[in-house]
Amino acid sequence: MTNSIKPRKITLLIHVLVWVFIAIVIFVVSPLSWKVDLPIEYWFKQGLTLFFLMVGFYLNMYLLVPKLLFKGRTWAFVGVGISITLLFLLIIIQFENLVNLPELMHNAFRPEKPYVPKPRNFSYDLFTILLLLFGLGISTSVVVVEKWQIDAGLRRQMEQEKVSSELSYLKAQINPHFFFNTLNNIYSLTNIDVERAQKAILKLSRMMRYVLYETDKDTTYLSMELDFIRDYVELMRLRLSDKVKLNLNIQEKTEDIPIAPMLLLPFIENCFKHGVSAKIESKIEIFVSQEGKILELKTVNLKFPANPKSKEELGSGIGLTNTKRRLDLIYGNKCKLSIDEDNPENEYRTQLRIDLS
């Protein structure tokens, strides 16, 4: 059993201390500064005012704000708040008249002069109204700030869930069609080059292990991400004809720092999905470099129309659009993505810079 105080108890303690402080400052310190013997009825009246201040505060906090203000019924909220304030004031006035408080206060301050009834001084009533409205305003502010904090927390949670959801889609982006076709290529290799087939199986095994285990985490090591990219490109190379010139250049020595898993794959996969033609010579260029904490990815490929009957195209996952959103959610202003798809060379060029510090 721990000795830590629960948050609910801490909140209750804060409320009690605040009300004690308000009672002392407004209802005790100020009257005592008058240096007269005040009648007991005055202290009852002050206690009644404090009671109504507290009732209005919590009635507004737990009923009026949630049921009216947050439901868009602003004018009803204002009207009910003013009505409650005037009702409390009326009860306080009735109490003063019932105990004949004006005469008792006159005798306390001017005992040498006889009491003569005078018209009511509404400046005191105005102070009471402002005090009660102040309590309503403070409670409204407390609830609004709490709701803002809760909503902000929910937004952060939703963003985190969205990142996790998109990561799940990214896992599925290495779809069964890719594995099926790769296995077919490896099978063909076993009749031609057994050693090369064995290496391909090892690469495929590493990729599957990465997808199954490493992507369950928020971050992975850069070295593992780059190894995954190397294996992916090498396996894709098995399917390319001689008409495709593939240039993969990944910096060998990099600082092994954390990075969100499978973040680079969509840009590289896009090269193979849209940059390969069975009839026309094409090229794919992939460059990955690191300078300090800055990671940079550059890709270049020719643009060819996608084959609408391709099963890999149909099951290609979330694509670049959601990847951009994922980058924004995880790294925000610490990453910069530029895409050039309108140039005389008919090339699709991407450049991604991420500050991994």
Side-chain angles (χ1 to χ4, degrees):
M1 180 181 297
T2 61
N3 295 325
S4 59
I5 302 177
K6 296 180 179 180
R8 188 181 297 273
K9 292 183 178 179
I10 294 177
T11 301
L12 177 62
L13 179 61
I14 292 175
H15 278 247
V16 171
L17 292 177
V18 168
W19 284 118
V20 169
F21 176 77
I22 291 175
I24 291 175
V25 171
I26 297 180
F27 301 105
V28 177
V29 173
S30 180
L32 289 179
S33 65
W34 297 337
K35 297 180 180 180
V36 296
D37 293 329
L38 295 170
I40 189 65
E41 291 82 358
Y42 171 81
W43 297 110
F44 278 116
K45 180 253 183 180
Q46 292 294 84
L48 184 63
T49 304
L50 177 61
F51 173 74
F52 284 146
L53 183 61
M54 296 173 64
V55 169
F57 183 93
Y58 291 109
L59 183 66
N60 185 63
M61 174 181 287
Y62 293 112
L63 186 63
L64 301 186
V65 175
K67 300 296 183 181
L68 296 178
L69 184 61
F70 288 165
K71 300 295 184 181
R73 301 172 61 186
T74 306
W75 289 112
F77 169 75
V78 173
V80 173
I82 293 176
S83 299
I84 290 175
T85 300
L86 295 178
L87 175 63
F88 288 165
L89 176 64
L90 180 62
I91 296 175
I92 292 172
I93 292 175
Q94 291 300 321
F95 174 80
E96 292 179 357
N97 294 334
L98 180 65
V99 300
N100 198 21
L101 187 60
E103 182 177 355
L104 294 176
M105 293 297 290
H106 173 83
N107 294 335
F109 281 93
R110 299 179 180 86
E112 71 282 356
K113 295 183 179 181
Y115 173 71
V116 179
K118 297 180 181 179
R120 185 173 183 83
N121 188 345
F122 289 102
S123 61
Y124 296 116
D125 295 334
L126 180 61
F127 172 78
T128 303
I129 290 175
L130 292 177
L131 182 63
L132 294 173
L133 289 177
F134 177 76
L136 294 179
I138 291 297
S139 64
T140 301
S141 301
V142 170
V143 179
V144 169
V145 170
E146 285 182 350
K147 185 177 186 301
W148 177 82
Q149 291 176 334
I150 292 173
D151 290 346
L154 288 175
R155 284 193 297 270
R156 287 193 298 269
Q157 182 179 354
M158 289 176 64
E159 288 178 353
Q160 292 172 353
E161 291 176 353
K162 185 185 297 183
V163 171
S164 300
S165 172
E166 293 177 355
L167 181 54
S168 297
Y169 280 115
L170 278 170
K171 292 181 188 179
Q173 191 159 327
I174 307 296
N175 53 67
H177 304 294
F178 166 78
F179 287 118
F180 178 76
N181 290 328
T182 301
L183 285 172
N184 274 342
N185 291 327
I186 294 174
Y187 176 76
S188 300
L189 273 178
T190 58
N191 296 323
I192 304 171
D193 190 337
V194 175
E195 184 179 354
R196 189 179 174 195
Q198 290 174 342
K199 292 180 179 179
I201 292 174
L202 180 60
K203 294 180 187 298
L204 186 61
S205 173
R206 282 202 305 240
M207 287 184 63
M208 294 180 70
R209 187 181 301 111
Y210 183 85
V211 171
L212 290 174
Y213 300 112
E214 289 303 319
T215 55
D216 285 336
K217 308 169 185 175
D218 292 333
T219 60
T220 187
Y221 287 109
L222 179 59
S223 61
M224 301 182 71
E225 179 79 1
L226 296 183
D227 285 341
F228 178 82
I229 296 301
R230 291 187 184 96
D231 290 340
Y232 177 83
V233 173
E234 289 304 315
L235 290 179
M236 290 299 296
R237 194 191 296 270
L238 297 177
R239 304 168 54 184
L240 300 179
S241 67
D242 295 337
K243 293 184 178 294
V244 182
K245 295 182 179 179
L246 175 59
N247 182 14
L248 174 65
N249 189 336
I250 298 180
Q251 183 176 321
E252 288 297 331
K253 293 183 179 181
T254 57
E255 184 179 350
D256 209 7
I257 52 181
I259 184 174
M262 297 182 74
L263 201 61
L264 307 181
L265 176 68
F267 301 98
I268 296 171
E269 185 193 41
N270 189 70
C271 296
F272 293 97
K273 285 200 305 182
H274 303 292
V276 176
S277 171
K279 301 178 181 179
I280 304 174
E281 288 192 357
S282 55
K283 69 173 182 178
I284 294 177
E285 297 177 350
I286 302 169
F287 303 94
V288 181
S289 61
Q290 182 190 39
E291 184 176 350
K293 300 291 185 180
I294 305 298
L295 179 68
E296 184 172 20
L297 167 70
K298 293 181 182 179
T299 66
V300 179
N301 62 271
L302 294 177
K303 292 190 298 181
F304 297 103
N307 180 5
K309 297 181 181 180
S310 170
K311 292 184 179 180
E312 289 193 41
E313 179 66 26
L314 292 174
S316 60
I318 67 169
L320 290 181
T321 301
N322 285 2
T323 302
K324 294 174 188 175
R325 185 165 69 253
R326 185 169 175 247
L327 278 168
D328 183 59
L329 289 174
I330 299 175
Y331 293 104
N333 295 329
K334 298 178 73 175
C335 75
K336 181 180 180 182
L337 173 64
S338 59
I339 297 178
D340 176 18
E341 53 183 327
D342 185 15
N343 51 73
E345 292 81 9
N346 192 38
E347 293 180 344
Y348 190 89
R349 305 163 181 164
T350 65
Q351 181 177 8
L352 173 66
R353 290 173 59 87
I354 309 176
D355 184 355
L356 298 176
S357 58

